[in-house]
Amino acid sequence: MSLIITDDCINCDVCEPECPNEAISQGEEIYVIDPNLCTQCVGHYDEPQCQQVCPVDCIPLDEAHPETHDELMAKYQRITGKA
């Protein structure tokens, strides 16, 4: 499943440049993650990079967008064009 940024976000801007899929952007009040682009870094890294750098731990799994590892890999391949 993709990740989501909660209201605990302090807009520190460390997560956005870490996202290899450019899924993170500035929303109206806090940063947001596009579930169509988020792969939890599957295909790029072993762990979600945004979670690794977030100083306030405000990036949990998005329960509204459940996906298996295989689905995340397929999304990665679709986004990057890599098979």
Side-chain angles (χ1 to χ4, degrees), residues 34-48:
D34 181 342
N36 296 312
L37 295 176
C38 179
T39 63
Q40 291 186 50
C41 291
V42 168
H44 295 283
Y45 302 103
D46 292 334
E47 298 179 340

Side-chain angles (χ1 to χ4, degrees), residues 1-77:
M1 65 186 65
S2 68
L3 302 170
I4 190 169
I5 297 176
T6 68
D7 290 340
D8 293 332
C9 176
I10 59 172
N11 288 312
C12 67
D13 192 39
V14 297
C15 61
E16 182 182 22
E18 296 299 321
C19 182
N21 296 329
E22 299 180 356
I24 301 173
S25 62
Q26 179 64 49
E28 286 187 32
E29 295 184 24
I30 60 172
Y31 280 85
V32 295
I33 298 177
D34 181 342
N36 296 312
L37 295 176
C38 179
T39 63
Q40 291 186 50
C41 291
V42 168
H44 295 283
Y45 302 103
D46 292 334
E47 298 179 340
Q49 298 302 288
C50 59
Q51 287 180 330
Q52 298 303 307
V53 299
C54 181
V56 293
D57 194 28
C58 68
I59 309 175
L61 292 173
D62 183 358
E63 301 291 335
H65 295 95
E67 294 169 292
T68 66
H69 184 271
D70 289 341
E71 289 171 324
L72 292 170
M73 182 57 81
K75 188 191 305 185
Y76 159 78
Q77 291 170 339

